[in-house]
Amino acid sequence: MNHPQPNNPLHGLSLEKILTRLVERYGWDGLYAEISVNCFHNDPSIKSSLKFLRKTQWARDKVEALYINTFT
């Protein structure tokens, strides 16, 4: 059931890749300034942030929206 998604700018990108690019661009402090989520402020890491974002849809939506606004 894999359907091409030509209009989806996130197609083919994993959440880890999205988060890594955002951290490279903004740094953890800048990312926290854009999206006030504690996992970006208190002892941040890719692993702990991914764990939180996979469980918390509203935060994941904000991260994906920031990625789209930043890189497209």
Side-chain angles (χ1 to χ4, degrees):
M1 299 208 48
N2 263 343
H3 301 288
Q5 298 181 7
N7 295 327
N8 182 353
L10 299 176
H11 181 68
L13 291 173
S14 66
L15 183 57
E16 183 175 6
K17 191 174 287 187
I18 290 169
L19 184 59
T20 300
R21 284 201 64 200
L22 287 171
V23 170
E24 289 170 356
R25 173 73 178 253
Y26 292 102
W28 289 111
D29 290 335
L31 196 53
Y32 179 71
E34 294 289 330
I35 305 169
S36 295
V37 176
N38 281 335
C39 69
F40 299 152
H41 185 64
N42 298 328
D43 195 25
S45 72
I46 296 290
K47 184 177 178 180
S48 65
S49 296
L50 286 173
K51 185 176 180 180
F52 175 77
L53 293 171
R54 287 183 178 128
K55 293 180 180 180
T56 314
Q57 188 62 45
W58 65 265
R60 183 179 180 149
D61 292 342
K62 288 186 176 198
V63 167
E64 290 174 347
L66 179 61
Y67 182 89
I68 290 169
N69 290 335
T70 301
F71 295 110
T72 59

